[in-house]
């Protein structure tokens, strides 16, 4: 029997996605045994100190991920969320921890990337210039451009120890949500892992979708075990 989640005309849906939703598109997750963090030390490629110490290694890591991301295609899970957004309109909000653009490429519009975006770069000295579109796969540090202030550009990625993006909007959307759907995240990184607790505090239904229970599984009113690309297409029932 396939599980379904009812959505009524009064429901406001907040969706949080993690690396798991892109797994069936061929992109590696972080904490699987063959994941991204298995091959790289976080402190070497995803911290402000790493950026100061070895910008070449940071750009090598993110250029490799840009190349992987460009090869990947959205999967049925991405399309199911874009379809749900079309049905719910402004009663739908998507926050992703992912830095790939598979949600956009499947049609999602009402979304924020709280950990940044692979397809953008920004000033490495944080001078205040806004991020710019940049999909270049750099082969050497010498190829990386400069900001108008003269600083080297960095990936528009939130490093560990930095503040996630769009938190004001995210908190406001969680406060309005009557249903939180969390897809494909291990619940090991904050503040994203606490969103489910915030939603439960004001009585929202909270649903997790993934092949294994997340660390914060006890906070969910409903856990649907399975792959996102197989579960999401038939998950949402009701008037919307
Ligand atoms: N469908 C759904 N979920 C899946 C699938 C799938 N096909 N395959 C794997 N998963 C689940 C795994 O069970 C795991 O719980 O995806 C989750 C991936 O967990 P992580 O690798 O920890 O990735 P994530 O939770 O997104 O990491 C959060 O940590 O390293 C930082 O900034 C990085 O955004 C990232 C954050
Ligand atoms: Zn600058």
């Amino acid at each position: 029997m396939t599980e379904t989640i009812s959505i009524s005309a009064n429901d406001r849906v907040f969706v949080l996605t993690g690396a798991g939703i892109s797994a069936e598109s061929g992109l590696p997750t972080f904490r699987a045994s063959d994941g991204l963090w298995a091959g790289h030390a976080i402190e070497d490629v995803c911290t402000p100190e790493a950026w100061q110490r070895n910008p070449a290694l940071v750009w090598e890591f993110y250029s490799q991920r840009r190349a992987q991301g460009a090869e990947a295609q959205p999967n049925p899970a991405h399309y199911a969320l874009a379809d749900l957004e079309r049905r719910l309109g402004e009663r739908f909000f998507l926050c992703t921890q992912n830095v790939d653009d598979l949600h956009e490429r499947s049609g999602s519009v009402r979304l924020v990337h709280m950990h940044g975006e692979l397809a953008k770069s920004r000033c490495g000295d944080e001078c205040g210039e806004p991020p710019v579109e940049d999909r270049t796969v750099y082969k050497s540090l010498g190829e990386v451009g400069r900001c108008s202030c003269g600083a080297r550009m960095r990936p528009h990625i939130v490093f560990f120890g930095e503040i996630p993006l769009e938190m004001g909007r995210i908190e406001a959307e969680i406060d309005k949500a009557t249903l939180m759907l969390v897809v494909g995240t291990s619940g090991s990184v904050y503040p994203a892992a606490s969103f489910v607790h915030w939603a439960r505090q004001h009585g929202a239904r909270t649903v997790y979708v993934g092949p294994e229970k997340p660390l914060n599984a006890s906070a969910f009113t409903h856990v649907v075990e399975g792959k996102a690309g197989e579960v999401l297409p038939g998950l949402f029932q009701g008037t919307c």
Side-chain angles (χ1 to χ4, degrees):
M1 194 273 278
T2 48
E3 313 240 7
T4 57
I5 302 291
S6 65
I7 298 179
S8 77
N10 303 319
D11 273 317
R12 294 187 72 96
V13 180
F14 181 102
V15 182
L16 171 69
T17 61
I21 199 168
S22 298
E24 289 156 271
S25 296
L27 294 181
T29 60
F30 290 93
R31 293 169 182 84
S33 53
D34 59 348
L36 283 164
W37 294 145
H40 300 82
I42 289 174
E43 55 275 13
D44 291 343
V45 293
C46 191
T47 62
E49 297 74 21
W51 171 248
Q52 295 306 323
R53 187 175 57 244
N54 191 344
L57 184 60
V58 173
W59 266 118
E60 183 188 319
F61 178 65
Y62 285 102
S63 284
Q64 188 186 44
R65 292 187 60 200
R66 276 185 178 171
Q68 282 175 330
E71 294 294 309
Q73 296 301 323
N75 69 60
H78 296 104
Y79 287 110
L81 292 182
D83 178 55
L84 183 62
E85 176 180 337
R86 277 190 292 275
R87 288 158 62 191
L88 289 177
E90 60 89 32
R91 291 188 291 127
F92 176 97
F93 182 77
L94 169 58
C95 171
T96 186
Q97 299 174 88
N98 299 341
V99 294
D100 65 58
D101 61 354
L102 296 178
H103 282 304
E104 289 88 337
R105 285 166 51 198
S106 60
S108 288
V109 176
R110 291 174 56 78
L111 87 147
V112 294
H113 287 265
M114 66 180 290
H115 290 163
E117 298 175 67
L118 268 180
K120 290 184 181 167
S121 297
R122 72 168 194 257
C123 175
D125 275 5
E126 311 293 349
C127 73
E129 281 292 313
V132 295
E133 199 71 22
D134 178 8
R135 294 172 187 271
T136 312
V137 177
Y138 294 108
K139 295 189 180 36
S140 73
L141 190 61
E143 289 179 10
V144 177
R146 297 264 168 188
C147 172
S148 55
C149 75
R152 176 179 287 119
M153 297 296 274
R154 64 171 265 188
H156 179 49
I157 298 292
V158 177
F159 292 149
F160 282 89
E162 294 182 328
I163 298 170
L165 306 171
E166 305 267 4
M167 283 308 294
R169 178 149 182 226
I170 291 166
E171 287 165 21
E173 292 290 348
I174 292 175
D175 284 348
K176 293 187 285 188
T178 60
L179 169 62
M180 176 175 285
L181 172 70
V182 178
V183 184
T185 176
S186 59
S188 44
V189 171
Y190 288 79
S194 45
F195 292 177
V196 61
H197 300 287
W198 299 354
R200 284 298 297 276
Q201 274 167 5
H202 64 261
R205 286 181 289 155
T206 52
V207 179
Y208 181 76
V209 174
E212 52 200 350
K213 286 194 184 331
L215 296 176
N216 52 0
S218 61
F220 290 92
T221 52
H222 205 85
V223 173
V224 183
E225 296 215 9
K227 291 184 173 182
E230 294 168 7
V231 168
L232 288 196
L235 187 62
F236 313 113
Q237 300 300 321
T239 53
C240 280

